[in-house]
Amino acid sequence: MKAKKIVVVGAGIAGMSAAIRLRADGHDVTVLEKNERAGGKLNIRQGKGYRFDTGPSILTMPWVLEQLFASAGRKLSDYLQLVRVEPQWRAMYGDGSIIDLLGDLPAMLEQIGELSPRDQQQFIPYLNYCRKQYELSTKSFYSRSLAGLPDLRQQHSLKELLAMDPLKTMAQMTEQYLEHPKLRQLFNFLIMYVGSSPYAAPAVLSQLIYVQMGLGIYYVNGGMYNIARAMLQLLDELGVEVRTSCEVSEVIIENGRAAGVVAGNETIRADAVVSNLEAIPAHQTILSGHSQSSRMVKRLEKYEPTVSGHVMLLGVDRTYENFKHHNFVFADNAQLEFDELFTKKRPAADPTIYVGISSKTDASQAPAGKENWFVLTHVPPLTPGESWERWRVPYRDLVLDKLERLGAAGLRQHIEWEHTFIPDDLQSLYGANGGSIYGTVTDRKLNGGFKIPQRSPMLNNLYFVGGSTHPGGGVPMVALSGQFAADLIRDDLAKQAVI
């Protein structure tokens, strides 16, 4: 197959993943990134000796990155050192009780038994159900690009499709197996890995429990941003140019095809274009010159953005022994919280707070005797023209009040460095629709649980990657989306060669 010139717009994990695979397939690839640093939402911030990963805080399914590096003849272990985190999470509840989510199954069962002997008996069947959903997904969701139900049907028998429980939600399956409200809340909340609601997401996403407990969660030694550094190193070794501070303003369209891009004052010609900018914002900006762009935006409305986030990076000048590397400080009413976020689309009055303290695992991330607190509270995505600015200070106070009440006594007076990200920042920095963290929401009724197709129906050599496309948000998913886009390009070029 003749090598092609391909431009990748955006150096997020998905864009770099696509570039690695495309270069491994022999193509001439250039990556253009508008920000000063590659990585997209996987990024870094530091001050006063504190280091923070500002995006993803965990790595699951490391086989995805191993597969990517292997496609270029490399071993991931030569670039990254992964550390399995245990306990995986600490769950804190309003009554002061704590559950540690453990990969050590006997210890986890013992902990569950203290809460509910019946749930202790049901937990292995529940975990087996989640494992089966994961194994079914490896045949389709994790092996190729899926644009919708017809593609899914091609990969599964009717028996397998029915085993996915398409008429049920993740929450319904959790309730079928588990009774204790704290356990239901804990395991349902794992859906927030992909920014969706367990009361709307299809049952197949119950697999996220197995992905965590069966496959484990990992931290990257030296910080999660080392994933981006490893990918950049590999791209450099492969001879792929990654230009930062290089914003694409327009996709050049000629004869119904993407013929290249305009970046600054330069026109860069290409045989194909891969966009790591989300599809809806892309149609509103770099594709706005196409006569069908407004119609495409309307057509894509069913792919609503996931939740956004109010993020505080806190340099804390002491240690809190009752907090672990990963912590949930839960809302008192789980269903109400999801209803406020996803149905009423307003900030939760009593939100679940995620606290990540990577210095618990990696001492290099904070000065001795101190901690780097990454504090994330999920909030609704922005509507057009809306700003989160009015909530910046009130929500900070609400979150800090709750943390101080539930285990972080005197936290405010121990903050010696602070930086905040609000949805406005996520939208402006990364072009995320509504400031979405995880791309598009997975909703059984709204979009059948599917994402935006990777092949553009508007331009037949334009492809989309990232959390808004199949298979969704999170490091492994967006890395897969880049690989799947390369597969689509390979298949499309092979068809053209036959013609």
Side-chain angles (χ1 to χ4, degrees):
M1 186 189 302
K2 185 180 177 183
K4 301 293 183 179
K5 171 64 180 175
I6 301 174
V7 168
V8 178
V9 181
I13 294 299
M16 290 193 288
S17 176
I20 289 168
R21 265 293 318 282
L22 289 165
R23 181 60 187 143
D25 285 350
H27 301 297
D28 179 5
V29 185
T30 302
V31 184
L32 308 175
E33 167 58 47
K34 78 165 188 172
N35 291 314
E36 63 180 16
R37 194 164 39 239
K41 293 171 192 156
L42 177 72
N43 226 296
I44 50 173
R45 178 81 54 157
Q46 56 189 19
K48 278 200 170 183
Y50 297 97
R51 298 179 185 176
F52 300 88
D53 290 301
T54 60
S57 56
I58 66 168
L59 175 65
T60 58
M61 296 165 55
W63 64 262
V64 173
L65 292 180
E66 290 168 354
Q67 172 181 281
L68 173 64
F69 276 65
S71 73
R74 305 300 203 279
K75 288 178 64 176
L76 180 67
S77 58
D78 291 334
Y79 296 78
L80 291 176
Q81 182 185 351
L82 304 185
V83 181
R84 191 160 179 163
V85 178
E86 185 77 7
Q88 297 177 342
W89 301 89
R90 169 157 284 187
M92 302 176 173
Y93 298 86
D95 62 3
S97 61
I98 286 174
I99 301 174
D100 284 337
L101 194 56
L102 305 170
D104 181 340
L105 192 54
M108 189 70 212
L109 286 169
E110 182 179 343
Q111 205 175 184
I112 292 172
E114 292 172 3
L115 278 177
S116 167
R118 180 209 176 264
D119 287 341
Q120 185 182 45
Q121 296 299 315
Q122 283 291 102
F123 190 69
I124 295 298
Y126 174 56
L127 199 54
N128 274 332
Y129 174 82
C130 299
R131 175 184 56 80
K132 288 174 184 173
Q133 297 305 319
Y134 173 78
E135 289 173 350
L136 286 168
S137 295
T138 60
K139 294 185 64 175
S140 52
F141 288 97
Y142 300 149
S143 65
R144 67 198 68 233
S145 186
L146 301 177
L149 190 56
D151 288 346
L152 183 65
R153 284 175 174 155
Q154 286 182 6
Q155 307 305 320
H156 292 283
S157 66
L158 178 59
K159 182 180 178 181
E160 288 173 336
L161 289 170
L162 292 174
M164 291 179 178
D165 287 314
L167 300 181
K168 294 182 179 178
T169 65
M170 178 180 172
Q172 286 172 329
M173 295 313 300
T174 306
E175 290 164 13
Q176 182 174 313
Y177 284 96
L178 302 177
E179 281 187 346
H180 200 287
K182 288 178 180 175
L183 294 173
R184 287 179 175 180
Q185 183 176 22
L186 172 57
F187 290 109
N188 275 337
F189 201 81
L190 298 186
I191 189 71
M192 293 304 274
Y193 282 153
V194 295
S196 301
S197 168
Y199 303 98
V204 69
L205 284 181
S206 301
Q207 66 180 277
L208 292 172
I209 287 81
Y210 176 74
V211 165
Q212 172 159 317
M213 298 201 65
L215 303 182
I217 65 169
Y218 295 83
Y219 170 75
V220 178
N221 209 35
M224 297 294 289
Y225 189 72
N226 278 347
I227 296 172
R229 291 190 177 104
M231 296 177 83
L232 284 168
Q233 181 182 339
L234 176 52
L235 286 165
D236 183 59
E237 291 169 6
L238 296 173
V240 174
E241 182 184 10
V242 179
R243 299 189 201 172
T244 54
S245 301
C246 184
E247 184 170 5
V248 170
S249 58
E250 176 189 353
V251 173
I252 302 164
I253 300 167
E254 295 177 0
N255 302 317
R257 293 174 60 82
V261 300
V262 176
N265 297 319
E266 186 179 0
T267 296
I268 303 170
R269 306 293 295 186
D271 298 302
V273 173
V274 176
S275 175
N276 197 176
L277 175 60
E278 287 184 30
I280 290 176
H283 284 92
Q284 294 168 330
T285 56
I286 60 176
L287 293 165
S288 61
H290 194 286
S291 61
Q292 298 298 312
S293 60
S294 296
R295 185 177 297 178
M296 280 302 304
V297 170
K298 190 75 177 170
R299 185 170 155 185
L300 295 173
E301 281 181 352
K302 66 179 180 179
Y303 301 103
E304 290 186 354
T306 68
V307 287
S308 186
H310 180 276
V311 179
M312 294 187 293
L313 310 178
L314 308 177
V316 179
D317 69 0
R318 58 158 288 186
T319 60
Y320 285 90
E321 299 308 317
N322 53 326
F323 282 78
K324 300 297 184 182
H325 186 148
H326 299 295
N327 310 269
F328 291 139
V329 183
F330 274 124
D332 285 338
N333 188 323
Q335 193 154 359
L336 175 61
E337 178 185 21
F338 280 104
D339 184 54
E340 287 177 308
L341 285 176
F342 290 93
T343 305
K344 297 185 172 66
K345 300 188 185 303
R346 68 188 186 204
D350 175 31
T352 293
I353 303 165
Y354 165 70
V355 179
I357 312 172
S358 62
S359 58
K360 296 282 189 183
T361 297
D362 183 353
S364 72
Q365 301 301 292
K370 302 180 181 184
E371 294 179 341
N372 62 335
W373 281 47
F374 173 94
V375 181
L376 166 66
T377 311
H378 289 111
V379 301
L382 299 172
T383 56
E386 184 187 13
S387 171
W388 179 260
E389 197 59 54
R390 66 192 173 100
W391 288 98
R392 182 193 290 268
V393 175
Y395 224 63
R396 174 189 185 274
D397 290 338
L398 182 151
V399 169
L400 291 177
D401 285 347
K402 181 168 182 174
L403 289 174
E404 290 186 330
R405 190 171 67 249
L406 295 178
L411 178 61
R412 278 182 175 86
Q413 63 200 52
H414 292 286
I415 298 170
E416 65 172 5
W417 188 90
E418 181 174 356
H419 185 83
T420 302
F421 288 99
I422 60 174
D424 306 53
D425 300 317
L426 297 171
Q427 189 172 53
S428 63
L429 283 169
Y430 311 120
N433 188 23
S436 163
I437 295 177
Y438 310 98
T440 55
V441 71
T442 305
D443 189 304
R444 189 173 57 85
K445 293 181 179 178
L446 190 65
N447 48 39
F450 291 96
K451 305 295 182 181
I452 294 174
Q454 292 194 267
R455 273 194 189 97
S456 167
M458 197 170 77
L459 301 171
N460 62 10
N461 63 335
L462 172 66
Y463 305 82
F464 292 100
V465 298
S468 66
T469 67
H470 179 81
V475 173
M477 305 304 180
V478 297
L480 277 174
S481 79
Q483 296 174 63
F484 293 161
D487 291 339
L488 292 177
I489 291 170
R490 180 195 60 210
D491 293 347
D492 291 349
L493 290 175
K495 289 174 188 172
Q496 292 170 21
V498 171
I499 295 170

